[in-house]
């Protein structure tokens, strides 16, 4: 009574893992559709679909509906166990494809054929055993223990549990070995850790089921392990596995998006300065992605700088660089400050030229370094005090500029 009461309090709704697995599938689906020929994406998509089907089929209302719809008592059992077996095979296919993709496709094809053949055979055997079994009493929650000693049903139950256990053992071992590999992306390593824990937790599910069934064989009653502990453990495992699939994709996406937005923010001062010089702006597209906005902003800035090229004073740049170095700035920072001072001067020169209607002499300055360092130049524009200090020192006659 105490064990049963304790385990009954451990409850995770079947719909929670379904929701998480569906979210993982939704995140992966665009990539799966776009890159359908990629065997890894197909394996991941298949695993997530089968995992969702497992939890939908394992929900008590679904089990009761399947039995009533077919009119066959407990037909939901081989259906559910077939899906669990298919999930076990999909786990092996996924990790084999993912891992062997690094070394070659030949090993992946061989492993795929082996896994498909073995687990398809197990599914066929499950249905054959159910056809020979005598299981007239419908059991929604405790079929494994209720029929643990019934001929053919006994073999059916043990077969699906062993197939699932073997798949989780192999998958867990491969995942944990992979985690120790050097050079993994932080998001991939994190996702693999969630997968490793998820498949390890799956082994707890198998152990609980096998202990409960074994207890029935020896005349003991450990049914709460199967009916109360195993379901929430399976749900927790599914959530961890789903997070393991989501984390690398979502983490890398969010990291790229954060870097893109940071780059947009860093380029803003130079972009605003170029808008005053060019008299225009990047066209606003409400549906434009941050990556596209960044590309257009970079293009706008470079085009505007090329338009200002004839007003760039190379002598001023060299003098400003020497001044910045003399003020104690390191070389990279000094170079960015010198470019920023030169660009500001070019903008002012362009304004005076337009205002006075005087054609400036055409020059051909070296803009390659400037165009390659627009982000550093833009960051320098965020520090007007540093720019004023460099301008002040650069305006001093050469004999009074501090030596480098």
């Amino acid at each position: 009574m105490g064990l049963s009461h304790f385990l009954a309090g451990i409850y995770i709704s079947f719909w929670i893992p379904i929701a998480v697995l569906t979210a993982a599938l939704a995140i992966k689906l665009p990539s799966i559709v776009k890159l359908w020929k990629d065997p890894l994406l197909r394996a991941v998509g298949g695993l997530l679909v089968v995992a969702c089907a497992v939890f939908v089929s394992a929900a008590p209302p679904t089990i009761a509906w399947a039995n009533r719809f077919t009119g066959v008592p407990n037909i939901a059992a081989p259906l559910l166990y077939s899906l669990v077996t298919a999930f076990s095979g999909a786990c092996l296919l996924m990790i084999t494809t993912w891992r062997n993709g690094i070394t070659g496709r030949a090993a992946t094809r061989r492993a795929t054929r082996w896994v498909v053949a073995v687990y398809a055979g197990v599914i066929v055997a499950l249905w054959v055993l159910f056809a020979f079994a005598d299981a007239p009493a419908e059991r929604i929650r405790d079929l494994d223990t209720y029929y643990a000693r019934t001929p053919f049903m006994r073999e059916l139950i043990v077969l699906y549990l062993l197939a699932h256990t073997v798949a989780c053992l192999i998958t867990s071992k491969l995942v944990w070995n992979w985690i120790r590999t050097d050079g993994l992306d932080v998001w991939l390593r994190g996702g693999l850790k969630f997968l490793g824990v998820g498949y390890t937790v799956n082994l707890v599910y198998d152990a609980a089921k096998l202990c409960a069934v074994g207890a029935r064989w020896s005349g003991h009653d450990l049914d709460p392990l199967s009916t109360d502990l195993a379901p929430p453990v399976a749900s927790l495992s599914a959530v961890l596995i789903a997070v393991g699939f989501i984390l690398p994709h979502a983490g890398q996406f969010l990291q790229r998006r954060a870097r893109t937005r940071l780059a947009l923010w860093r380029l803003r001062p130079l972009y605003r300065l170029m808008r005053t010089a060019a008299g225009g702006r990047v066209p606003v597209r409400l549906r434009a992605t941050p990556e596209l906005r960044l590309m257009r902003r970079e293009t706008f800035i470079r085009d505007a700088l090329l338009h200002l090229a004839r007003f760039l004073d190379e002598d001023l740049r060299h003098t400003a660089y020497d001044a910045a170095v003399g003020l104690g700035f390191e070389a990279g920072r000094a170079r960015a400050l010198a470019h920023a001072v030169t660009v500001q001067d070019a903008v002012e020169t362009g304004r005076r030229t337009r205002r006075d209607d005087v054609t400036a002499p055409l020059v051909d300055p070296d803009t390659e370094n400037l165009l390659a360092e627009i982000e550093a130049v833009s960051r320098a524009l965020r520090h007007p005090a540093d720019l004023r200090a460099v301008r002040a020192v650069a305006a001093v006659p050469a004999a009074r500029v501090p030596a480098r």
Side-chain angles (χ1 to χ4, degrees):
M1 178 64 181
L3 177 62
S4 178
H5 180 75
F6 171 75
L7 293 178
I10 304 175
Y11 177 75
I12 299 178
S13 172
F14 282 97
W15 303 111
I16 294 176
I18 292 172
V20 178
L21 289 165
T22 303
L25 181 61
I27 291 174
K28 285 286 187 182
L29 191 59
S31 299
I32 294 171
V33 173
K34 185 177 180 181
L35 303 171
W36 177 248
K37 293 184 178 180
D38 188 333
L40 173 59
L41 288 174
R42 290 203 304 270
V44 171
L47 186 146
L48 292 174
V49 169
V50 174
C52 288
V54 166
F55 281 94
V56 171
S57 301
T62 307
I63 294 175
W65 176 87
N67 294 335
R68 287 196 305 270
F69 180 78
T70 60
V72 179
N74 299 311
I75 188 107
L79 174 62
L80 173 59
Y81 298 160
S82 296
L83 289 172
V84 172
T85 304
F87 170 77
S88 304
C91 292
L92 286 175
L93 288 178
M94 182 276 301
I95 196 63
T96 302
T97 304
W98 200 353
R99 189 73 174 104
N100 288 348
I102 300 174
T103 58
R105 296 181 179 178
T108 302
R109 285 194 295 268
R110 287 194 300 271
T112 299
R113 287 194 294 267
W114 184 86
V115 171
V116 170
V118 170
Y119 280 84
V122 171
I123 291 173
V124 172
L126 292 176
W127 284 97
V128 171
L129 289 169
F130 181 75
F132 283 103
D134 182 21
E138 183 183 53
R139 309 303 298 184
I140 301 296
R141 297 179 182 274
D142 62 345
L143 183 140
D144 290 346
T145 51
Y146 186 85
Y147 288 110
R149 292 188 291 184
T150 302
F152 298 110
M153 285 298 289
R154 171 185 57 215
E155 287 77 10
L156 182 153
I157 294 165
V158 172
L159 182 59
Y160 100 84
L161 286 175
L162 288 180
H164 186 256
T165 302
V166 169
C168 289
L169 279 171
I170 296 174
T171 305
S172 179
K173 180 176 175 57
L174 290 174
V175 168
W176 286 112
N177 286 342
W178 195 1
I179 289 172
R180 290 189 287 268
T181 304
D182 294 330
L184 294 181
D185 173 79
V186 63
W187 297 109
L188 175 58
R189 191 182 299 277
L192 287 173
K193 287 180 179 179
F194 273 99
L195 288 176
V197 174
Y199 286 115
T200 302
V201 171
N202 246 331
L203 293 174
V204 177
Y205 166 87
D206 294 320
K209 286 282 187 179
L210 288 170
C211 286
V213 171
R216 279 282 185 156
W217 292 348
S218 62
H220 296 85
D221 183 2
L222 292 179
D223 289 9
L225 292 177
S226 176
T227 56
D228 297 328
L229 177 62
V233 167
S235 298
L236 176 61
S237 171
V239 171
L240 292 171
I241 290 172
V243 172
F245 285 119
I246 292 172
L247 189 60
H249 185 280
Q252 291 168 2
F253 171 80
L254 293 175
Q255 186 177 43
R256 289 194 303 269
R257 185 58 58 89
R259 286 176 177 174
T260 301
R261 292 191 179 279
L262 180 61
L264 279 167
W265 177 79
R266 285 176 173 171
L267 287 175
R268 188 177 181 184
L270 184 56
Y271 169 64
R272 295 177 67 179
L273 181 61
M274 291 301 97
R275 281 177 55 188
T276 63
R281 61 182 300 167
V282 176
V284 177
R285 298 283 199 284
L286 296 179
R287 299 181 63 182
T289 64
E291 290 79 10
L292 181 58
R293 290 173 54 203
L294 176 61
M295 183 181 68
R296 288 176 173 171
R297 180 166 292 187
E298 290 175 342
T299 302
F300 178 86
I301 290 173
R302 289 190 172 95
D303 288 345
L305 287 173
L306 289 173
H307 180 73
L308 283 174
R310 60 178 180 164
F311 301 117
L312 294 174
D313 188 339
E314 287 295 290
D315 292 335
L316 174 61
R317 184 175 67 83
H318 290 301
T319 303
Y321 176 80
D322 291 336
V325 171
L327 288 171
F329 294 103
E330 54 89 20
R333 175 73 171 157
R335 190 165 53 248
L337 288 168
H339 278 308
V341 168
T342 307
V343 170
Q344 286 180 327
D345 179 78
V347 171
E348 291 299 322
T349 301
R351 287 173 180 166
R352 289 196 302 270
T353 300
R354 288 195 298 271
R355 183 171 60 248
D356 299 336
D357 195 23
V358 177
T359 302
L362 294 176
V363 295
D364 187 21
D366 182 10
T367 59
E368 182 177 353
N369 290 333
L370 172 60
L371 296 176
E373 297 181 7
I374 57 174
E375 187 174 305
V377 174
S378 187
R379 288 203 303 268
L381 289 172
R382 290 186 178 275
H383 302 278
D386 292 344
L387 294 175
R388 286 194 296 269
V390 171
R391 280 183 175 276
V393 175
V396 177
R400 294 174 56 190
V401 174
R404 288 193 223 180

